[in-house]
Amino acid sequence: MKRVAVLILCLMLMAVSIASAESITPDIVTYSFAIPTSENTLFTLSEHLGKVVVLNFWATWCGPCTREMPALNQLYRHYQDADDVVILAVNCAEQPTKVQKFLETKGFIIPAGYDLEQQACMTYNIQSIPTTVVFNRSGMVEHYIVGVLDRTEVLCDRYIEIIESLREADD
C-alpha cells in the first residue's frame, strides 16, 4: 500500500511538471544560501549582485528535468562568456558524483550546484521540479517558472528573451 501511495505521489509531481509551465512573479523575498558547485566553488546569491541569475532546480531521475536540460545547456553556451549573466543547474539532493556522471555522459557543460541538504530548495519553496528561478541584477526574483516551458528551441529562446529584458531594464 505504501508503494502505491508513493507511486501516485510521484506521478502527481511529474504531471505537474509536464503540464505547461507557468511563469509567475511571486512575492518572494530574496534569501541567500550557499551550495557547492561543479566548479569547486561555493555559490551564493550575494556574490552575484549586479548580474542576472538563472537557477534551474532539477534531478537526474526527473524526466521533465532531463528533457529541458539540452535547452539549459544551450542557454549556458549562449551566455558562458557574459560577465553579467550566471546560469546554474541546481541539483536537488543527489550525490555530486552521480550528477557529474549524468552531465558528462550527456555532454552537458552547464555548471551544477549541489543542494545536498535542500537548503536552496526550501529557501525558494521548490515543490515541483523542474523549477527555474530568475533573479534581476538587484537580486530580486523576477520569474518563477514551474515545469518545462516547451521544446529546446522555444525554451532557450524564451529564456534569452527573459534574460535580455532584465539586462536592458537594469541598464
Side-chain angles (χ1 to χ4, degrees):
M1 192 56 123
K2 271 188 180 179
R3 288 183 186 176
V4 172
V6 169
L7 179 61
I8 290 171
L9 178 62
C10 288
L11 290 173
M12 288 172 49
L13 286 174
M14 286 183 67
V16 169
S17 294
I18 293 170
S20 53
E22 182 179 341
S23 178
I24 57 174
T25 308
D27 293 328
I28 294 179
V29 176
T30 301
Y31 297 103
S32 198
F33 55 87
I35 57 172
T37 72
S38 57
E39 298 175 329
N40 295 319
T41 62
L42 197 61
F43 178 89
T44 62
L45 282 175
S46 57
E47 74 183 86
H48 296 291
L49 283 176
K51 301 176 184 181
V52 175
V53 177
V54 178
L55 301 180
N56 176 264
F57 293 86
W58 70 290
T60 62
W61 52 263
C62 168
C65 299
T66 60
R67 279 198 305 278
E68 82 171 357
M69 193 57 71
L72 292 164
N73 193 66
Q74 183 177 333
L75 184 69
Y76 175 75
R77 284 183 188 276
H78 184 84
Y79 288 105
Q80 72 184 23
D81 295 326
D83 59 356
D84 64 339
V85 177
V86 175
I87 300 169
L88 186 67
V90 180
N91 182 271
C92 301
E94 293 180 285
Q95 290 301 313
T97 52
K98 180 177 184 171
V99 174
Q100 277 312 116
K101 183 177 180 182
F102 172 85
L103 294 173
E104 289 169 9
T105 300
K106 301 291 184 181
F108 298 140
I109 63 167
I110 186 170
Y114 309 118
D115 193 12
L116 294 170
E117 296 181 24
Q118 298 191 34
Q119 175 189 11
C121 289
M122 287 187 287
T123 298
Y124 286 96
N125 197 28
I126 305 302
Q127 296 181 10
S128 176
I129 55 175
T131 293
T132 303
V133 184
V134 183
F135 300 85
N136 65 23
R137 291 179 188 223
S138 300
M140 302 302 297
V141 175
E142 284 286 333
H143 296 274
Y144 191 91
I145 303 162
V146 179
V148 179
L149 282 175
D150 212 324
R151 11 180 250 288
T152 297
E153 300 79 21
V154 175
L155 183 117
C156 189
D157 289 346
R158 176 66 180 125
Y159 281 128
I160 288 172
E161 180 182 304
I162 288 170
I163 291 168
E164 291 305 315
S165 71
L166 293 174
R167 288 171 102 185
E168 292 169 9
D170 293 331
D171 284 340

